[in-house]
Amino acid sequence: MRTRTTAAALAGTALLALTGCGAETVSNKPAAPRTTPGTPTPTPTPTASKAAAAETASLSNMTGKGLQYAQDEAQAAGFYGLTSHDALGRGRMQAFDRNWKVCAQTPAAGKHPTDTKVDFAAVKLEEACPSKDADKPQPAGSTMPNFKGKSVKAAREVLDRAYSITVNDATSQHRIVFMESNWQICTQNPPAGTELDGRPVKFNAVKFNEPC
């Protein structure tokens, strides 16, 4: 009997020991909250400075100089917006700049922003500059302009492209008017001052070195 009691006591002690080893410890302390890395405070972007004013440079007086030389000199000074036109108003293109000379310029010589558009009025080397720049042909208004003495090309540029235009040799030679900038108008129909209403236009012309 004593042996059974002792064995039972030992078995109970062992069971308590095993239970104590396997039990989980529960803490009453609340778990620390789970955190994520914070977003850094944005650094203020420096205010962009205002765009610098356009640079200025000195534009020389190009009157009397060759057109090619004038253009090169203007570019060397910092001006790159260059253009040119026929100072006689004949609408000729300055295809070979070295064959043309400058009669006038816009703007005049002086200090200007380098992004200024520079326009040279020019004539061919063998021609005299006009007393007044003829400037580029402007579109016609509601009435027929007076084209007498003007080049056929300039007249064509003034009139709307939709107009039907016929050009005849005013002499008895019946020549074909090929290079229209080299021909001047002697007579026109309809006459100057007539309302432009779409009627066909007819010009009689001769070359510029010929009398009408």
Side-chain angles (χ1 to χ4, degrees):
M1 179 64 70
R2 182 179 178 84
T3 301
R4 290 180 179 177
T5 302
T6 303
L10 291 174
T13 302
L15 181 60
L16 289 174
L18 290 173
T19 303
C21 291
E24 293 183 358
T25 303
V26 179
S27 173
N28 293 328
K29 184 178 180 180
R34 187 174 182 180
T35 60
T36 56
T39 303
T41 303
T43 304
T45 304
T47 304
S49 59
K50 294 182 179 179
E55 295 182 3
T56 59
S58 181
L59 180 66
S60 301
N61 182 4
M62 306 297 185
T63 302
K65 298 181 180 181
L67 180 58
Q68 182 65 64
Y69 185 92
Q71 291 174 336
D72 291 346
E73 187 172 338
Q75 288 182 345
F79 298 92
Y80 292 96
L82 307 178
T83 186
S84 61
H85 66 273
D86 185 350
L88 295 178
R90 291 168 56 178
R92 296 172 295 180
M93 300 293 294
Q94 292 73 61
F96 300 100
D97 296 334
R98 289 178 177 82
N99 293 339
W100 294 73
K101 62 184 178 183
V102 177
C103 294
Q105 66 187 60
T106 303
K111 288 279 188 180
H112 302 284
T114 54
D115 58 358
T116 300
K117 180 180 178 180
V118 180
D119 185 12
F120 295 117
V123 295
K124 289 189 174 182
L125 297 178
E126 65 274 14
E127 298 172 340
C129 288
S131 57
K132 182 180 179 181
D133 178 20
D135 208 348
K136 298 178 181 179
Q138 300 299 317
S142 59
T143 58
M144 185 73 168
N146 182 4
F147 289 119
K148 183 175 175 59
K150 304 293 185 181
S151 77
V152 175
K153 182 179 179 182
R156 193 181 292 276
E157 291 178 354
V158 167
L159 295 173
D160 191 279
R161 293 183 179 181
Y163 273 85
S164 300
I165 301 175
T166 301
V167 184
N168 295 323
D169 183 358
T171 71
S172 58
Q173 302 179 55
H174 305 291
R175 296 168 296 182
I176 297 176
V177 181
F178 179 67
M179 189 71 69
E180 292 186 337
S181 61
N182 290 337
W183 291 71
Q184 62 173 324
I185 296 172
C186 296
T187 61
Q188 65 184 66
N189 187 31
T194 304
E195 180 183 0
L196 286 172
D197 56 3
R199 283 181 291 172
V201 176
K202 181 179 179 181
F203 295 129
N204 291 318
V206 296
K207 290 187 176 182
F208 269 97
N209 59 346
E210 301 171 345
C212 283

